Amino acid sequence: MARKFFVGGNFKMNGSISSITEIVENLNKAQLDPSVETVIAPPALYLLLVREKAKKEIGVAAQNVFDKPNGAFTGEISVQHLKDSGIDWTILGHSERRTILGESDEVVAAKTKYATENGVSVIWCCGESLEQREAGQTLDVIAKQLAALKAEISDWSKIVIAYEPIWAIGTGKVATTEQAQEVHASIRDWLAKNVSQSVADETRILYGGSVSEKNCKDLSKQNDIDGFLVGGASLKPAFVDIINCRL
Ligand code: G3P
């Protein structure tokens, strides 16, 4: 079954009211490939602004969400807040949250469970460090991250997986098409063996890490690459070229 190509823009902790408004206006004006699902993830404070300004075809994602209902959790944002604000997606488990904020595989899995069970779709991130890649541990690291997710999840239909090798994030050092395809294929294989063939066939697996308008075309041609999670380049007009990379 055909998996709809997906391009996410992760603005991270960047932008201002005026620059984000400009990015959204630029996307609104552009002719975006209708066969691509486009979702942008601004900082939390700008979610409502973006949801109000972006055309309906563009989805909006938070960059994180808590795994409890509304209550005494100072500083957190709930799934209920997202739904109340028309936000259908969240990123979870980005390596910056895993490494800088100390989120474990289990914390990320619990958040993913709570979000998906309460109606918010998740771009779930995984990936290895340079040290782990050089030690030949890439597939083991990702299998461990996936196993923690599998322990919590029964319905995979609201999950998109983003493979983001940490060494390729923000470094300009993109994984080669072969390196990315190899990991994507092994993630799909893991899903087939450990979850089910239909989840393996239907789950979209995105690549993230220094994706640009220059390298996206070749990456998009790989069998198991179903889209991208774009950081730096999603803040630039060239993001439109990445969304339209298959035209
Ligand atoms: O989530 C996107 C990401 O971490 C990749 O960032 O700037 O390398 O495209 P960048």
Side-chain angles (χ1 to χ4, degrees), residues 3 133 139 163 175-189 205 207 218-226:
R3 297 179 291 267
R133 173 160 282 265
L139 302 182
Y163 167 56
T176 63
T177 49
E178 295 75 20
Q179 282 172 325
Q181 167 58 27
E182 184 196 11
V183 177
H184 282 231
S186 67
I187 292 173
R188 207 174 299 290
D189 190 49
I205 307 175
Y207 169 78
D218 283 347
L219 287 162
S220 74
K221 290 181 189 142
Q222 303 303 306
N223 276 347
D224 292 292
I225 297 184
D226 306 311

Side-chain angles (χ1 to χ4, degrees), residues 117-130:
E117 285 182 355
N118 289 283
V120 169
S121 297
V122 172
I123 303 167
W124 177 88
C125 304
C126 61
E128 82 289 2
S129 66
L130 184 58

Side-chain angles (χ1 to χ4, degrees), residues 22-61:
E22 199 181 318
I23 291 169
V24 172
E25 281 170 356
N26 194 38
L27 289 170
N28 284 348
K29 271 192 285 178
Q31 192 90 36
L32 302 179
D33 181 347
S35 73
V36 174
E37 184 165 6
T38 302
V39 175
I40 50 177
L45 200 55
Y46 302 135
L47 283 167
L48 263 178
L49 171 85
V50 169
R51 186 56 290 163
E52 277 165 13
K53 289 198 184 296
K55 55 185 172 187
K56 273 204 254 10
E57 308 88 280
I58 299 176
V60 182

Side-chain angles (χ1 to χ4, degrees), residues 10 12 91 94-96 125 164 168-172 208-211 229-233:
N10 176 7
K12 308 193 179 186
I91 297 172
H94 192 281
S95 64
E96 286 146 18
C125 304
E164 299 207 328
I169 297 176
T171 57
S210 296
V211 173
L229 185 55
V230 185

